Amino acid sequence: MTASATEIQSRTLAGYADASRLRQVHDRDWVLERLPAEPQILVDLGSGIGQLLQAALERFPSIRLAAGLERSEHRIAEAAERLRPYGARTVLHRADLTDPEPLPLRPDAVTMTSVLHWLFPHEERIFAWVSDRLAPGGRFLLTTYHPARDEHGLGGEDEIVREALTALGTPRADVPALFARAGVLPIATRTRTVDDLAAVLRPHLAVAGHRERDAVVTVESAEQYAHFHAATFGDYYSRLVPAERRADFFRAVGEAARQRQGERGHVSHMPVRLWELTTH
Ligand SMILES: C[S@@+](CC[C@H](N)C(=O)[O-])C[C@H]1O[C@@H](n2cnc3c(N)ncnc32)[C@H](O)[C@@H]1O
C-alpha cells in the first residue's frame, strides 16, 4: 500500500509555510511588535522553518545575529534555505529544547512561539537555560495556548481528533483510553493552565507583562484542514490508528473540521497568551 500525500507530509512536517497561515503566523507578528527597539542578538527557540527569524532580520537592521534552535532536521533544512540571503547574520542549531545544550549565546531578545506544549513536562529546563543567558534588560517573549479541557484532559485539537476517531468507528467514550494506550498525551494537558505555567516560570524568570488574544481557526475546505493538521501536529495523533488507516484518519480530521466550520462558523478558538519575561 502506498502512503497518501498527507501521511508523507505528516512524517516530515512539510507544508508549514502555507499551513501556519491558519494560526501560528499571528503569534509571529504579535511577538515582533514587542521586541526591544534595537535588538542585537535574537534567539528563536523551536524556530521551525525560520519565518520569525527572517521577519525579524528584515524589520530590525540592528540584529547582528539571529539564531534558531530546532529539533526537526527537515525544518532546519527549510530554514537554512530561507535564511541563506542573510549570510553570517544567522545561525541554526539542531537542538532538543527539553535538554538544551550550553551554547555560547548572550541574547538580548529570545522568542518562542507555539512550541512550549511540546516540551511538557520539562518546560522548566528551557526557562532555566534562558534565565542563565538573557542579557541584562533583555526580553523573552513566549506565546502559550490554553484550550479548555474536559475531565480526561482533552481539549483543543484533541476534540477534532476525537470527532475524527468517532467517525471512523471508535465509540466517543473510548477515546481517552485509546489516547492513553497509544501514549498520546492530550495537547490540552500538555498546554497547562496559566496558573500552572506561572508557577513553573516563577523560579527562573519574572513576568514583566502579558497580553491575551483569542486564536480563531477558520477553514475553507476539509483538505485545507487535513494539510494544516499534518504540517502542525505531524504524526503525533495518527499513531492512534493502525498504519493502514492513517490516510482515512487525516481525511476524517479534515472532515471533522469542515463540519465544525459549517456548524459554528469556525473550527476552534482558544486563548493565547504572550508573556513578556525578564530575569529576576
Ligand atoms: C508549531 S511549530 C512552531 C514553529 C515556529 N516557532 C512558529 O511559530 O511558526 C513547533 C516547532 O517546535 C519544534 N519542536 C518541538 N519540540 C521540540 C524540542 N523538544 N526541541 C526543539 N524543537 C522542538 C517543532 O519541530 C516545530 O518546528
Side-chain angles (χ1 to χ4, degrees):
M1 194 192 74
T2 56
S4 71
T6 317
E7 282 176 271
I8 293 165
Q9 181 198 356
S10 75
R11 285 179 209 149
T12 58
L13 292 164
Y16 189 77
D18 190 28
S20 62
R21 286 195 192 103
L22 283 191
R23 182 153 70 194
Q24 296 92 336
V25 72
H26 304 291
D27 283 16
R28 287 198 288 276
D29 295 343
W30 208 21
V31 160
L32 288 180
E33 276 159 27
R34 307 300 305 166
L35 279 183
E38 293 198 330
Q40 305 287 309
I41 299 180
L42 167 67
V43 173
D44 187 33
L45 301 168
S47 46
I49 59 173
Q51 291 156 301
L52 186 145
L53 293 172
Q54 180 183 31
L57 285 159
E58 288 293 328
R59 185 161 169 164
F60 299 102
S62 59
I63 293 180
R64 284 184 282 120
L65 185 68
L69 273 61
E70 167 58 50
R71 184 178 58 181
S72 154
E73 60 182 315
H74 297 288
R75 291 216 159 148
I76 293 202
E78 199 172 333
E81 205 48 50
R82 170 169 282 103
L83 298 172
R84 195 181 308 283
Y86 304 93
R89 283 176 81 207
T90 68
V91 61
L92 296 166
H93 295 282
R94 186 139 188 229
D96 179 355
L97 301 176
T98 63
D99 186 18
E101 291 168 52
L103 293 169
L105 295 165
R106 189 82 172 142
D108 55 345
V110 178
T111 50
M112 176 153 67
T113 58
S114 313
V115 175
L116 191 70
H117 46 280
W118 294 119
L119 312 186
F120 178 92
H122 301 299
E123 301 96 317
E124 81 284 355
R125 297 183 188 162
I126 197 65
F127 295 153
W129 189 94
V130 173
S131 160
D132 286 347
R133 281 166 186 77
L134 197 61
R139 277 281 190 277
F140 174 23
L141 299 169
L142 165 71
T143 64
T144 58
Y145 286 68
H146 301 282
R149 60 169 84 134
D150 69 7
E151 68 277 22
H152 306 289
L154 274 69
E157 195 69 14
D158 308 320
E159 289 292 351
I160 294 151
V161 169
R162 172 157 44 195
E163 286 161 25
L165 293 169
T166 307
L168 292 176
T170 305
R172 190 179 159 82
D174 293 355
V175 170
L178 177 58
F179 269 59
R181 266 203 313 281
V184 174
L185 198 56
I187 228 77
T189 300
R190 290 181 163 277
T191 41
R192 292 191 198 258
T193 63
V194 165
D195 288 346
D196 283 355
L197 202 48
V200 178
L201 274 164
R202 201 169 295 127
H204 304 288
L205 294 153
V207 180
H210 75 265
R211 274 145 202 264
E212 268 196 23
R213 69 180 176 89
D214 197 28
V216 183
V217 173
T218 59
V219 81
E220 282 159 20
S221 66
E223 294 71 32
Q224 188 193 21
Y225 198 84
H227 172 72
F228 163 78
H229 178 95
T232 299
F233 299 97
D235 52 14
Y236 186 69
Y237 288 109
S238 62
R239 290 182 276 151
L240 291 162
V241 299
E244 66 277 11
R245 300 216 65 194
R246 292 203 178 135
D248 293 340
F249 171 79
F250 286 111
R251 262 195 300 277
V253 165
E255 189 49 37
R258 193 195 59 75
Q259 267 185 28
R260 283 173 156 247
Q261 178 71 40
E263 287 160 13
R264 308 164 190 219
H266 59 259
V267 180
S268 63
H269 72 102
M270 69 185 75
V272 188
R273 176 170 283 232
L274 168 58
W275 306 74
E276 297 183 41
L277 304 164
T278 61
T279 50
H280 282 298

